[in-house]
Amino acid sequence: MSVDLAGPYEGLRVLDFTMFVAGPYCTRLMADMGAEVIKIEPPGGEFLRAAPPVRDGHSAYFGTLNCGKKSLAIDLKQSAGLEAVKALVRTADVLIENFRPGVIERLGLGYSVLQTLKPDLVYCSVSGYGQTGPSADRPSFAPVIHAASGFDMLIPRYDPEFERPAASRYVVADALAAVHALAGIGAALYRRERTGRGEHLDVALMDTMHTLMSYEYAESQFPGLQPPIVFRPLVTRDGFLAIAPVSQGNFAALGRAAGRDDWMRDPRFATREARVANWPALVEELATWAATVDSQEAERRLTREGCPAAAFRTVGEARLDPQVAHRGSAVTVTDGSGAYAVPNCPIKFSEANASAGQHVPGVGEHGPALLAELGLPDETLAGLLRSG
């Protein structure tokens, strides 16, 4: 059997009208899988190009989310720019945007307009709360959705040391929306193959956050029936340790690794039902044991016996893990200030290629070639280039 080293989305053209994280990460994954992703930016470039860490004027954060794409910088408020983009739409398979609902319609690029130009266009809108409804017009970013969805209240609920939500800068809602948009676009393309029809997808960050909290979503409707299992960081002699002895086999392995076979005979812990009922007492036992060991040694002993466990690490430490190197989970990309590592596509195919593109585009780098490809009159093309 021959192996096709092309990407699964080879030959697919995607117009990327997105900024920040949710939209760009979705299209980054599509570029990883071989799609030609054309990032449509304002003439000065999108906001994230100035986000730290910046080296010699180039943002490594922007590059992580946008490597492997092409860049077309064009002013959509100019009629010539808008018409050029509409001509590009006729050549595209997918369009994704994450403007606030209503903005792209006011620019003249809403689905109802573009569907007449390209009936089989798969059009994906990503927003905080969805395209319709009483909250649709609310501005939002991931930290706001974390607060509004209930996610940030989980920390003070599960950790008594916190009396209020913790400070953070994670973008969980963005990443979740990105992968849901990716899945929806793939389904819409499959449907298009069968029906020849396009689709307008509506992905809301709020909805995706609730899928992350399936236990809490269910428990909120039936509170207090059983106490939840809470996995607490355990303090070791030199750091912190996570242990998840969920199954009976995991718990037996934990007892062997800790030299505590008596835990298996303790009526409080001998069965899964007993452990759930007495979970706080078990955690206290684990905390007492963890305080006597080093994190790495405990991790080795626990995993050797078959109990899921890991020492807490920084991102910088985790990205140098030998398993990351083995899987090719980090890849080197280059922008105008040099080379650095980014996370590779986490989806591995057996007979196709999925890997991050190694070049981060400069603002508008591919604009002249893309516009010339459309067959625009020379005077129109020259006017667009003169006007920026």
Side-chain angles (χ1 to χ4, degrees):
M1 181 183 295
S2 63
V3 176
D4 179 8
L5 293 180
Y9 276 144
E10 196 80 24
L12 197 75
R13 172 169 277 188
V14 179
L15 301 188
D16 178 0
F17 289 82
T18 69
M19 294 185 291
F20 301 105
V21 180
Y25 182 51
C26 174
T27 53
R28 195 340 282 262
L29 290 173
M30 297 189 77
D32 291 356
M33 296 183 202
E36 179 194 26
V37 176
I38 302 170
K39 186 174 183 67
I40 313 293
E41 304 184 70
E46 79 126 299
F47 178 88
L48 217 62
R49 284 188 180 271
V54 175
R55 310 102 60 238
D56 300 325
H58 297 272
S59 167
Y61 189 21
F62 172 87
T64 298
L65 295 165
N66 292 282
C67 56
K69 302 178 186 179
K70 296 179 177 180
S71 172
L72 169 61
I74 197 161
D75 188 350
L76 297 176
K77 295 179 181 178
Q78 292 190 32
S79 59
L82 182 62
E83 290 308 310
V85 167
K86 286 183 176 179
L88 197 58
V89 167
R90 293 185 176 94
T91 72
D93 300 286
V94 176
L95 183 151
I96 178 169
E97 60 90 11
N98 66 349
F99 292 103
R100 210 155 133 195
V103 171
I104 200 162
E105 284 80 8
R106 290 193 291 275
L107 289 171
L109 295 170
Y111 179 65
S112 61
V113 172
L114 299 190
Q115 187 186 34
T116 64
L117 303 178
K118 190 76 164 56
D120 65 348
L121 180 68
V122 172
Y123 188 113
C124 181
S125 296
V126 179
S127 63
Y129 299 94
Q131 296 299 299
T132 61
S135 297
D137 292 337
R138 292 177 59 178
S140 65
F141 288 107
V144 173
I145 299 299
H146 297 160
S149 65
F151 178 72
D152 278 344
M153 293 304 294
L154 298 184
I155 290 177
R157 176 186 176 184
Y158 294 140
D159 192 333
E161 293 184 6
F162 286 85
E163 297 180 353
R164 62 180 185 177
S168 74
R169 67 133 287 107
Y170 40 66
V171 288
V172 175
D174 284 325
L176 275 177
V179 296
H180 279 83
L182 180 71
I185 289 168
L189 289 169
Y190 176 71
R191 178 178 177 271
R192 188 179 74 167
E193 287 295 307
R194 294 185 291 111
T195 67
R197 297 169 59 186
E199 180 65 84
H200 185 193
L201 304 171
D202 175 1
V203 177
L205 273 66
M206 177 71 104
D207 296 346
T208 65
M209 286 302 294
H210 283 158
T211 69
L212 179 69
M213 300 179 286
S214 53
Y215 165 77
E216 288 79 13
Y217 201 92
E219 191 266 347
S220 69
Q221 301 167 73
F222 309 101
L225 295 182
Q226 295 93 22
I229 290 178
V230 178
F231 298 96
R232 193 176 95 191
L234 302 172
V235 180
T236 66
R237 290 191 301 206
D238 61 350
F240 301 92
L241 183 69
I243 305 178
V246 175
S247 72
Q248 193 71 7
N250 296 157
F251 185 64
L254 167 62
R256 292 193 299 271
R260 293 295 304 271
D261 291 339
D262 59 296
W263 284 342
M264 290 296 297
R265 298 187 297 274
D266 191 319
R268 297 174 299 167
F269 312 137
T271 65
R272 180 185 181 280
E273 293 75 14
R275 286 194 298 279
V276 170
N278 295 283
W279 189 258
L282 176 59
V283 171
E284 289 304 319
E285 292 276 353
L286 297 180
T288 299
W289 170 73
T292 68
V293 295
D294 294 337
S295 298
Q296 297 296 334
E297 175 59 24
E299 180 183 303
R300 283 191 290 270
R301 286 160 58 181
L302 288 159
T303 54
R304 183 177 64 240
E305 294 293 341
C307 179
F312 280 74
R313 297 181 289 184
T314 66
V315 174
E317 292 167 340
R319 71 178 180 82
L320 299 177
D321 189 295
Q323 183 68 12
V324 171
H326 170 78
R327 284 182 56 80
S329 299
V331 66
T332 299
V333 302
T334 304
D335 63 11
S337 71
Y340 57 98
V342 303
N344 205 354
C345 182
I347 306 169
K348 309 296 183 187
F349 293 83
S350 65
E351 299 190 23
N353 180 56
S355 182
Q358 297 182 351
H359 176 66
V360 179
V363 180
E365 177 181 337
H366 304 89
L370 288 167
L371 293 175
E373 173 195 312
L374 296 175
L376 298 175
D378 290 343
E379 61 272 18
T380 301
L381 180 57
L384 283 167
L385 295 175
R386 279 196 308 272
S387 67

